[in-house]
Amino acid sequence: EPEVTQTPSHQVTQMGQEVILRCVPISNHLYFYWYRQILGQKVEFLVSFYNNEISEKSEIFDDQFSVERPDGSNFTLKIRSTKLEDSAMYFCASSEGQENTEAFFGQGTRLTVV
Amino acid sequence: AQKITQTQPGMFVQEKEAVTLDCTYDTSDPSYGLFWYKQPSSGEMIFLIYQGSYDQQNATEGRYSLNFQKARKSANLVISASQLGDSAMYFCAMREGAGSWGKLQFGAGTQVVVTP
């Protein structure tokens, strides 16, 4: 069964460093998303991406964040200068864009900023 | 204002019993979709069930069913014949708009513990 794949599963980084979280969405999907979940809290939307551009972003997605689809398969989230409060689980998701279809989530990347 | 409200932070249920997880939502959009996801302790998000705002019948998927009461804006998840493997966090989510590409907005979740 096709699945969304995220790497790495866990990343530890020092405050101020740049991190890139990687995702391989399901191959025939057209819409891609990043969500984050701070430990013990609810899942929050960050950004959606379609046709090589951002279609929607939340207020969390400020200038330190960027997304890119560098090739036909990968979808990346870059955090330019990490802060302690960026520590969270980051989920990538993708959807077909058809009616009545769900978003499929990856297994998540746990980011720890120290 | 909260778009999705899950009022039960945690629940215990005995194996083989049914459990109902509450979810209410707030939207003025006539087109929307409601989702339930399961998050086990390993962290991944597993899709369980979907209900569209125009669906006439309540959605069912195996042991999961969704009790959709549109006028009350509620979309409760019913898990029948609970199993130990059902122990997890359960999130209700909503997608507004007619398209299926919009963002999901999640509730705070309900932690379910199934006991032998």
Side-chain angles (χ1 to χ4, degrees), chain B residues 13-104:
Chain B
V13 59
Q14 274 206 312
E15 205 175 1
K16 298 178 187 171
E17 291 188 349
V19 61
T20 298
L21 308 183
D22 295 340
C23 173
T24 57
Y25 58 91
D26 181 27
T27 182
S28 57
D29 199 315
S31 297
Y32 52 90
L34 298 158
F35 302 78
W36 279 91
Y37 283 84
K38 172 184 177 181
Q39 187 179 42
S41 57
S42 50
E44 71 268 30
M45 295 287 285
I46 303 167
F47 166 75
L48 296 178
I49 196 166
Y50 166 83
Q51 179 85 44
S53 60
Y54 294 117
D55 292 345
Q56 295 296 315
Q57 293 189 317
N58 287 344
T60 59
E61 287 285 349
R63 294 187 299 110
Y64 304 107
S65 60
L66 201 151
N67 183 3
F68 181 45
Q69 297 187 45
K70 196 170 182 177
R72 296 180 60 187
K73 293 189 174 179
S74 76
N76 298 340
L77 176 71
V78 180
I79 307 173
S80 62
S82 297
Q83 302 171 356
L84 295 177
D86 293 334
S87 294
M89 182 73 92
Y90 288 81
F91 290 100
C92 180
M94 176 174 65
R95 181 175 60 208
E96 294 177 291
S100 58
W101 47 84
K103 66 187 179 197
L104 292 174

Side-chain angles (χ1 to χ4, degrees), chain A residues 45-96:
Chain A
F45 168 76
L46 291 178
V47 65
S48 58
F49 193 86
Y50 170 72
N51 201 24
N52 285 321
E53 61 182 29
I54 291 173
S55 49
E56 186 177 1
K57 61 183 181 179
S58 72
E59 58 197 24
I60 302 169
F61 194 87
D62 60 22
D63 290 344
Q64 68 161 157
F65 291 95
S66 62
V67 289
E68 193 178 32
R69 191 156 161 81
D71 53 43
S73 58
N74 290 288
F75 178 51
T76 62
L77 174 70
K78 182 191 291 185
I79 309 174
R80 252 177 281 283
S81 177
T82 50
K83 303 188 282 255
L84 294 176
E85 54 265 37
D86 294 327
S87 295
M89 181 77 97
Y90 288 81
F91 290 103
C92 173
S94 68
S95 70
E96 289 179 343

Side-chain angles (χ1 to χ4, degrees), chain A:
Chain A
E1 187 174 322
E3 59 180 16
V4 176
T5 306
Q6 289 184 244
T7 55
S9 56
H10 191 184
Q11 179 150 2
V12 181
T13 189
Q14 283 201 320
M15 194 169 54
Q17 295 295 305
E18 175 183 285
V19 295
I20 297 176
L21 309 184
R22 291 184 165 80
C23 170
V24 179
I26 295 173
S27 61
N28 64 331
H29 285 187
L30 302 176
Y31 296 87
F32 314 116
Y33 313 84
W34 284 101
Y35 292 83
R36 81 170 185 192
Q37 184 183 30
I38 295 171
L39 186 64
Q41 298 186 23
K42 67 179 179 182
V43 179
E44 301 172 292
F45 168 76
L46 291 178
V47 65
S48 58
F49 193 86
Y50 170 72
N51 201 24
N52 285 321
E53 61 182 29
I54 291 173
S55 49
E56 186 177 1
K57 61 183 181 179
S58 72
E59 58 197 24
I60 302 169
F61 194 87
D62 60 22
D63 290 344
Q64 68 161 157
F65 291 95
S66 62
V67 289
E68 193 178 32
R69 191 156 161 81
D71 53 43
S73 58
N74 290 288
F75 178 51
T76 62
L77 174 70
K78 182 191 291 185
I79 309 174
R80 252 177 281 283
S81 177
T82 50
K83 303 188 282 255
L84 294 176
E85 54 265 37
D86 294 327
S87 295
M89 181 77 97
Y90 288 81
F91 290 103
C92 173
S94 68
S95 70
E96 289 179 343
Q98 301 297 319
E99 286 293 323
N100 296 346
T101 56
E102 71 273 22
F104 289 83
F105 281 74
Q107 80 278 22
T109 293
R110 183 165 297 283
L111 176 66
T112 303
V113 182
V114 297

